Amino acid sequence: MIEMLLVIAMTSLIVGTVGAVYIYTAERLRYGYADYRTQREAEYGLDVVDSTISRAQTCVLTAANGASCLKCTMPASCSDNNGDGILDACQPASINRRSYERWGNGYRVWFFLSDTTGAVGNAGSTLWMAKRLDDLAPTAGDLVQSFTYYPGNTKLRIGLIQSLTPSTTSNSNQLTAVIKVGAYANQSGGPAPSSASTSTSYQLSISRSPYMHGWRQ
Amino acid sequence: MKGRRGSAVIFVMVMLMFMTTIVMAYSSLGIAAREAETRREQAVIARLAFDGATLKASYDCGLGNISYPSTQSVPVGATTCSVTIADNSASMSHSLSMTTSASIRGRTFNDSRVIGLKMPLSPFYYCLAMNAATNLGGSVTLGSGGSNGDLYDVGALTLNNNVTVNGDCESSSTFSKNSATVTGTAIGSTNPIPFPVPVAANYSAVASSSLLNILLGIILSGETFTTPYMVIYCGNDTTMSGIFSGKGVLFVNGNVTISGNMTYLLPTDEVAIIATGNVTVQNSNTSIVGYWYCGGTFTTQSNTNLTRGSIVTNTFSPGSNFSATYDPTIWTTGGEAERLKLPGVWP
């Protein structure tokens, strides 16, 4: 009888320990995955904003329909080379007598948060980019779908974003952009608001302060 | 009893298998994260290396240190870039096309861009450059068709209504455009381009011939430069006119008087005329050519036309109806300004 109880106890101990280790390992994996996704999306988000600001002639913080927006005036001749919607290749318009490139003014590129319609002023946590050739507020026709969604589907490129906050710096040709993202560390792995507990979600906030291209002229 | 122990062993083994799978997944996730971060870091390194390599290559081209089309190996820190350079001036004046590649730890990155042919700052890259505050009145037309008429002034610049500048207009001090026509960018408070001061001994040391006539002054009725970029040193005041052929330098240690028309024989001819004193166009309706440096005051009469060249002068006093068209050869050909021994660029 004692022998049997001893066996049951030892078996329970082993099973319980292994089970606990399994639960812990699975939980760490989910945290690791949430960590990876938040880092990847935050860095991608900052990469595209950084890339745009650093190629822009000027960037300003502005409001349209009550929504805070970042508006960048890009060089006159820019194109998207890899289909992600970002204007990542710009050519100068002329060269001046000091051998500096002159770029001219082209697209106004807007970044703002909205709902899934992309209407400026609507509350939401979908990051949109719009581009148009004048300074008027963007409309539905100006939205760059390939920036927000992966091509051919409705999967968001930056689905975990909570906020994108650009701000001015003491240098007039430099902006600081702060991006905040969050993901639940449970099996759904869905986007987590900033109010979510850090014991059940992974929160990440990173910033960068790029110079505008016009600074070099 | 044996059955229970067996169940426990199976359970433990299954759980261990699950955990092993999870640990492997975690490991893969970590490797993927590290790989993605490494790729990003390498892309940033490559981008910065491309910026540095293309900039260096464009300056080397502008100084004439390297010729193009060519492929150059340009080290930037620990990264070596292969830069293929081609002339892009057919599409855009004064520009180069550069295709660059770099391999960073086995991963190759590529870049393609158009960049300006970088040359050191010089007032000779403008059609007319002045060193003192200027009120440009009368009828002055620089360049045509929106080009070859760039204007620069170190001092305060005021344009009057009859001034037309086909190109940019810059002042390193205050700038008043009024109703003048400027087809390019018109800006004040630009970074100053120093007014060069030539050293006569440098030119006499390399001169192919030296002229001196203290009593009557030197008179040049045209000149043929038999050797490209040869220097003729004039030791005192000189009067000149006539046909100039070939590429060369006239250095005048004194004043210059232009007594009649000056022309080139061929479209490829280029003459740099460097006068330490004043330059005076003696008569109305005179055409002149050349890259002019004037250490004093450049004075013209009515209807003076610089048909091809540029004027860099301390002060400028134009008569009525002055026109000039810039010769872009030194601007579009790396090292040409140095070969013509233009002050500030040479020695």
Side-chain angles (χ1 to χ4, degrees):
Chain A
M1 184 66 180
I2 293 173
E3 187 187 38
M4 196 174 114
L5 286 174
L6 195 59
V7 168
I8 291 171
M10 287 180 67
T11 304
S12 301
L13 185 65
I14 292 168
V15 168
T17 304
V18 170
V21 171
Y22 169 75
I23 291 168
Y24 176 78
T25 309
E27 184 196 10
R28 293 321 306 168
L29 177 62
R30 286 195 295 271
Y31 265 95
Y33 188 52
D35 178 3
Y36 171 65
R37 289 176 60 224
T38 50
Q39 188 161 321
R40 190 189 63 185
E41 291 205 5
E43 286 180 345
Y44 176 77
L46 273 191
D47 280 351
V48 295
V49 172
D50 180 347
S51 165
T52 301
I53 292 174
S54 62
R55 285 188 173 85
Q57 295 291 82
T58 56
C59 288
V60 294
L61 312 181
T62 186
N65 300 334
S68 297
C69 304
L70 170 65
K71 185 181 77 169
C72 292
T73 302
M74 304 303 290
S77 175
C78 286
S79 58
D80 172 17
N81 274 358
N82 54 9
D84 62 359
I86 302 298
L87 299 174
D88 43 28
C90 299
Q91 303 286 0
S94 63
I95 314 295
N96 76 0
R97 294 289 162 180
R98 294 170 184 250
S99 295
Y100 292 151
E101 292 82 6
R102 288 269 175 77
W103 302 89
N105 290 340
Y107 278 116
R108 275 64 159 176
V109 171
W110 296 67
F111 291 101
F112 56 94
L113 289 170
S114 179
D115 58 16
T116 53
T117 67
V120 184
N122 287 4
S125 58
T126 301
L127 182 62
W128 288 96
M129 186 180 102
K131 58 181 187 181
R132 57 182 298 143
L133 286 167
D134 57 30
D135 288 311
L136 298 176
T139 61
D142 304 319
L143 297 175
V144 181
Q145 297 286 338
S146 59
F147 166 77
T148 303
Y149 300 105
Y150 285 103
N153 60 47
T154 56
K155 181 172 169 50
L156 292 167
R157 287 185 189 270
I158 311 175
L160 304 177
I161 191 168
Q162 295 165 350
S163 64
L164 173 66
T165 312
S167 58
T168 56
T169 68
S170 57
N171 188 332
S172 61
N173 291 311
Q174 186 186 33
L175 288 178
T176 293
V178 180
I179 192 168
K180 291 183 177 177
V181 295
Y184 281 113
N186 58 23
Q187 285 183 334
S188 75
S194 57
S195 57
S197 166
T198 52
S199 63
T200 57
S201 69
Y202 199 87
Q203 306 278 337
L204 183 62
S205 171
I206 55 176
S207 67
R208 214 177 286 173
S209 300
Y211 285 93
M212 299 163 210
H213 194 100
W215 166 74
R216 301 192 183 108
Q217 301 308 303
Chain B
M1 186 67 185
K2 282 183 181 174
R4 283 180 186 163
R5 273 189 284 183
S7 299
V9 169
I10 291 170
F11 176 80
V12 169
M13 289 182 70
V14 168
M15 295 306 284
L16 283 173
M17 194 176 71
F18 282 168
M19 281 189 288
T20 304
T21 306
I22 288 171
V23 168
M24 287 175 65
Y26 200 101
S27 174
S28 296
L29 186 65
I31 291 169
R34 186 184 144 200
E35 185 70 12
E37 190 58 30
T38 302
R39 192 185 297 259
R40 282 189 67 258
E41 186 181 317
Q42 289 176 345
V44 172
I45 291 171
R47 182 163 57 86
L48 295 174
F50 291 153
D51 286 349
T54 52
L55 199 58
K56 182 179 186 308
S58 62
Y59 273 109
D60 282 342
C61 290
L63 291 169
N65 293 339
I66 57 176
S67 58
Y68 49 92
S70 64
T71 299
Q72 305 291 327
S73 181
V74 183
V76 181
T79 305
T80 299
C81 299
S82 174
V83 187
T84 300
I85 309 160
D87 182 20
N88 190 57
S89 57
S91 301
M92 185 187 304
S93 174
H94 200 70
S95 69
L96 301 169
S97 168
M98 293 200 185
T99 305
T100 313
S101 66
S103 179
I104 302 175
R105 292 182 186 171
R107 189 170 283 127
T108 301
F109 296 86
N110 297 295
D111 177 79
S112 179
R113 65 181 69 183
V114 170
I115 190 169
L117 175 62
K118 303 290 185 186
M119 289 181 170
L121 289 179
S122 170
F124 285 97
Y125 299 143
Y126 296 79
C127 180
L128 174 62
M130 299 163 292
N131 190 41
T134 305
N135 189 333
L136 209 52
S139 175
V140 174
T141 302
L142 303 177
S144 61
S147 63
N148 291 330
D150 301 85
L151 171 64
Y152 173 69
D153 196 344
V154 178
L157 177 62
T158 301
L159 302 184
N160 290 323
N161 300 347
N162 291 326
V163 173
T164 299
V165 176
N166 285 280
D168 295 341
C169 192
E170 300 175 11
S171 167
S172 294
S173 180
T174 56
F175 174 57
S176 302
K177 180 170 170 283
N178 297 317
S179 295
T181 301
V182 178
T183 64
T185 304
I187 47 173
S189 304
T190 59
N191 289 332
I193 301 173
F195 185 73
V197 179
V199 177
N202 290 337
Y203 290 88
S204 64
V206 296
S208 300
S209 63
S210 295
L211 308 175
L212 188 65
N213 188 336
I214 295 173
L215 280 179
L216 301 174
I218 300 163
I219 298 175
L220 288 176
S221 297
E223 186 65 52
T224 299
F225 295 95
T226 52
T227 305
Y229 310 109
M230 64 182 281
V231 176
I232 295 175
Y233 184 88
C234 301
N236 59 318
D237 293 353
T238 302
T239 300
M240 63 179 67
S241 63
I243 300 171
F244 292 79
S245 128
K247 297 177 192 292
V249 182
L250 277 172
F251 185 91
V252 179
N253 198 4
N255 300 317
V256 170
T257 301
I258 302 168
S259 57
N261 288 334
M262 295 173 65
T263 57
Y264 283 134
L265 185 65
L266 298 171
T268 54
D269 293 336
E270 297 170 69
V271 176
I273 301 141
I274 302 160
T276 58
N278 300 318
V279 176
T280 305
V281 177
Q282 203 169 37
N283 305 309
S284 301
N285 304 311
T286 301
S287 292
I288 61 175
V289 293
Y291 296 106
W292 286 87
Y293 170 87
C294 173
T297 300
F298 198 111
T299 305
T300 70
Q301 307 301 323
S302 61
N303 297 319
T304 298
N305 181 21
L306 172 66
T307 55
R308 183 158 66 85
S310 70
I311 295 173
V312 174
T313 180
N314 192 25
T315 55
F316 186 55
S317 177
S320 59
N321 296 321
F322 173 79
S323 59
T325 301
Y326 184 66
D327 182 349
T329 308
I330 58 169
W331 172 241
T332 55
T333 312
E336 189 68 0
E338 187 177 10
R339 287 188 286 274
L340 281 170
K341 299 176 179 55
L342 296 175
V345 182
W346 182 89

